[in-house]
Amino acid sequence: MSFSTAKSSLNHLYKINSKVKASILFSTRMDQLGYWLKFESIGNCESQFIKEMNIKNINLKKNLNFDGFTYHTYSFLEKSISYFSYSKN
């Protein structure tokens, strides 16, 4: 999942013991996370990211000043969420 992509940046912040707030930036372009979000909720995406991060490096979350998630390319995000909502009804 997406943790593999973010891992090197997060490890860098962890190694320098940074107090800078770290936010995970997800791209919602359709060739990235957008297509996946057509069938899964944002909450599920974030939960899976945290779960994978804890499995692969349990100390990383404890030592980062983790500030949450940010989404890029909002028009694609809106389309994916609309599709997800429609498909659940």
Side-chain angles (χ1 to χ4, degrees), residues 40-87:
E40 297 288 340
S41 70
I42 288 177
N44 189 25
C45 170
E46 294 173 359
S47 295
Q48 285 189 25
F49 183 91
I50 296 295
K51 181 180 176 182
E52 188 174 345
M53 180 170 64
N54 287 335
I55 289 169
K56 294 188 177 175
N57 190 342
I58 190 111
N59 292 318
L60 188 59
K61 185 179 174 191
K62 292 179 186 177
N63 295 318
L64 281 178
N65 190 2
F66 184 64
D67 193 36
F69 297 91
T70 304
Y71 294 86
H72 185 267
T73 315
Y74 297 103
S75 60
F76 290 111
L77 178 60
E78 183 180 358
K79 286 179 184 177
S80 295
I81 290 173
S82 295
Y83 184 88
F84 177 75
S85 297
Y86 175 76
S87 67

Side-chain angles (χ1 to χ4, degrees), residues 1-15:
M1 172 134 174
S2 55
F3 177 74
S4 299
T5 304
K7 184 179 176 184
S8 62
S9 297
L10 293 173
N11 279 332
H12 178 69
L13 289 174
Y14 171 73
K15 286 178 186 174

